[in-house]
Each structure stands twice: as structure tokens, then as C-alpha cells.
Amino acid sequence: MPETDRLLGVVEGFYGQPWRWSERRAYAGYLRDLGLNTFLYAPKADAYLRKRWRESWPVSERQELALTAREYRRSGLRWGVGLSPYALYANYRGEAKQALRNKVLEIEDTGCNLLALLFDDMPGHSADLAAVQAEIVADVRRWSSSGSVLLCPTYYSLDPALEKHFGPRPPDYWAELGRLVDPQVQIFWTGNNVVSSTISSADLVAITAQLRRRPVLWDNYPVNDGAAMVEYLHLAPLAGRSPDLPAATAGHLCNPMNQPQLSRYPLGGLAALYGGVAPPLASIYSKRLARLLSRDQARFQYEGLGKLDQQQREVLIAEYSECDDDAAREVVDWLKGRYAFDPDCLTG
């Protein structure tokens, strides 16, 4: 079975339509059955974790957070919250520090036992970026009672796309983080690319040396939230991760699809990589749905919606509509284009 002290599981960190609270709670039992142990709540659609982070959640949302945290604790799993205090480091002084402290206490009051500071997908071209982010992390650790803090750097991969979108990476950024951030703080990394088709221990040697710790992988599979990726359902189990990878990581969380039920099967590959057992399709879904998904898996994963004409879509919609379960409804909604990418989600 997977190690109990290693973070293994799900990071709900995608753009677009988030999961429902009932779906998140249902994952507690599924992750436990797979031998995984962590769910990190960090959907980009939760503005109270990003652009509106200084504001408190509505009472109803805080209640849902607390209820979900209790469910995960009851299952013996870690329930985490990922806070993205947008561009906080641009002016980290008195009022901003107090606002951050208030937010951290609010998050912990909901009962989470894992806190992540996520500086991803926000401007980063600042000479003292690493120093300010390290100061923020140190302050949060001082205020926090969760006992476990993670950091996602602004530049979380070697991928040049990050500098294209968020500005030039400051010189020695990763080495400075490694020097300034306490070794007990774990740091996220996505591999050589934002979406890495393969990852091996050799890919992590250089960044491990700079960060002075083994990274926690934020694995962007089976996520399908981008403008191009929403056209696909990633239904194959996680693959392309070398068997030697566990020795080079401090944890491994997969960013799932917008479709929670259909994300269950791909996560089996994560469990298998770390000593668990990947369940077959037929043990997760009904016999009829498992047969359809097995037939259409490659078609949905590699050809996508763009290769289906209207008549083909209608035939598939009719077939999947005959399966009376939530996973089949996710396929139908996808075929009907209900997960279309909304560019406005990037500004939330």
C-alpha cells in the first residue's frame, strides 16, 4: 500500500466548472479505497481563494467546507485548501499581512488539516519574488495550526509558457526559494512542462537540487480544462510516469477533469504507481457504461469532440443516455458541449 506520510491523491485545481460539494465528499471513500490519502480543494472558480481572497466566504460555503473537512477527517484522510492570494507579494505590508492572517484563520476554522499557498498563474516578474514569497510562507506557518503547509511557486515548471504569460522568471528564483523556505515546507512541481506527458526521476534531479527538497508533483492529468483540452475526455489511467518516480517525490497529486465521476478511473494509475491497485472499469461503473467507455475511450481521449459530426454525437448521446448514472450523464453533457471553455474564467 502507498506510504501514509506521502501526499497522494487529488488537487482540484482546474479552471471552469467546479465540482459540487457532494461530489467532493463522495471522493473521500473512493480515495481511501484506492490507498490514496489527500484531497486539496483549490478550484480556480472559487474567487474567495483568488481575486476576492480578502473577502469571507458566504455562510453557506463555509458550512460546506466544514462539512467536507469533517468527512475527510472521519475517513482518515487529509483535506486541504489551496489559497491563491492574487499578487499579494506586490505589496506585502501591514494591511495585506493582516488580511492574509484573517484568511488563514478563516480557512483553518473550517477544519482543514492541510494548507497550500498557490502563487501559480499570476504575474511574477519581480526581482525579490522569492524573498517575498518566502516571507509570506514563514508568516503563514507562524499563524497556522494545520501542521502542514505547501507552496506552489509562480514558476512551477521548466515550461517557457510560464514566462510568456507571467513575465521573465527572476534570476536564481528556484535556488532562492530553496535557500529561504523552511525545509519542512513542501513545494509543488508539474514536471518539465505544465502538462507533462512523461515524468521520470531524472526529470526531477535538477529542480530537487535547487529547491533543496524532493518536490510534490502537481500532475496535470487527467485535467481537461483548457481551451483545447475541453474537447477531450482523458479516460486512460495515469501513464508515462516511471516506476522510479516515487523515490524522487515527496508526494503526488493529480489535477482531475471537470467531470468528477469520469476522473475516477484515470486515478487508478496514480494508486498503482505508489503501490496500490488500479481498479478495472467494471468495478467503478455499471456493466453497460463500462462497455461503452471501453469502446470509446481512445476516441474520446485522442480524437475528441472535433472529430464527431452531429449525427455521431446524437448516436452517442442516445447510447449513454440509456445508462442511468452520473458518469454517463457527464459523457452526455460533454457531447452536448456543456463544458465549453469560457475565457472569462481566467480573470476570476
Side-chain angles (χ1 to χ4, degrees), residues 73-331:
R73 287 199 309 271
R74 191 160 41 236
S75 299
L77 307 180
R78 296 183 183 93
W79 167 260
V81 175
L83 175 63
S84 298
Y86 195 83
L88 170 65
Y89 43 79
N91 185 28
Y92 189 55
R93 294 185 178 87
E95 184 278 329
K97 284 193 177 189
Q98 186 59 48
L100 180 62
R101 183 176 184 275
N102 293 342
K103 191 68 175 190
V104 168
L105 295 179
E106 180 188 21
I107 290 172
E108 296 207 329
D109 189 54
T110 65
C112 78
N113 51 18
L114 178 65
L115 179 62
L117 286 169
L118 310 179
F119 294 121
D120 58 311
D121 297 359
M122 60 181 75
H125 49 284
S126 171
D128 61 349
L129 184 65
V132 177
Q133 290 180 347
E135 180 185 359
I136 294 170
V137 171
D139 284 345
V140 169
R141 291 191 73 223
R142 191 170 68 253
W143 302 326
S144 170
S145 61
S146 70
S148 186
V149 176
L150 290 88
L151 166 67
C152 184
T154 304
Y155 301 92
Y156 48 84
S157 167
L158 303 177
D159 201 321
L162 296 178
E163 293 193 75
K164 176 182 177 182
H165 291 293
F166 306 114
R169 173 168 47 87
D172 300 320
Y173 172 65
W174 294 316
E176 283 294 282
L177 281 181
R179 182 176 67 86
L180 296 171
V181 175
D182 189 288
Q184 294 185 42
V185 174
Q186 297 179 315
I187 299 180
F188 275 122
W189 187 252
T190 66
N192 292 337
N193 300 100
V194 173
V195 180
S196 297
S197 57
T198 62
I199 308 176
S200 70
S201 62
D203 295 331
L204 305 180
V205 171
I207 195 60
T208 297
Q210 292 193 68
L211 296 177
R212 303 187 184 189
R213 71 208 75 198
R214 293 178 300 161
V216 173
L217 282 178
W218 175 309
D219 198 325
N220 278 316
Y221 184 87
V223 69
N224 62 345
D225 60 348
M229 286 197 293
V230 295
E231 295 286 302
Y232 302 89
L233 291 177
H234 297 149
L235 299 175
L238 178 71
R241 278 55 178 155
S242 300
D244 62 359
L245 193 57
T249 65
H252 194 151
L253 303 182
C254 283
N255 196 5
M257 294 187 285
N258 293 113
Q259 298 84 11
Q261 302 304 324
L262 294 175
S263 293
R264 291 186 174 221
Y265 181 59
L267 290 173
L270 177 64
L273 181 63
Y274 289 88
V277 177
L281 271 172
S283 72
I284 303 174
Y285 309 115
S286 68
K287 183 177 180 180
R288 182 182 183 88
L289 178 58
R291 179 179 59 79
L292 289 174
L293 290 175
S294 179
R295 183 196 70 186
D296 296 325
Q297 176 181 300
R299 189 182 194 185
F300 291 168
Q301 176 137 352
Y302 301 111
E303 297 180 15
L305 283 176
K307 294 292 182 67
L308 298 173
D309 61 33
Q310 188 58 41
Q311 183 177 0
Q312 290 171 321
R313 290 193 195 194
E314 289 175 0
V315 169
L316 288 167
I317 287 170
E319 289 182 309
Y320 281 93
S321 294
E322 292 179 3
C323 302
D324 185 24
D325 58 51
D326 290 338
R329 283 186 280 275
E330 289 176 355
V331 177

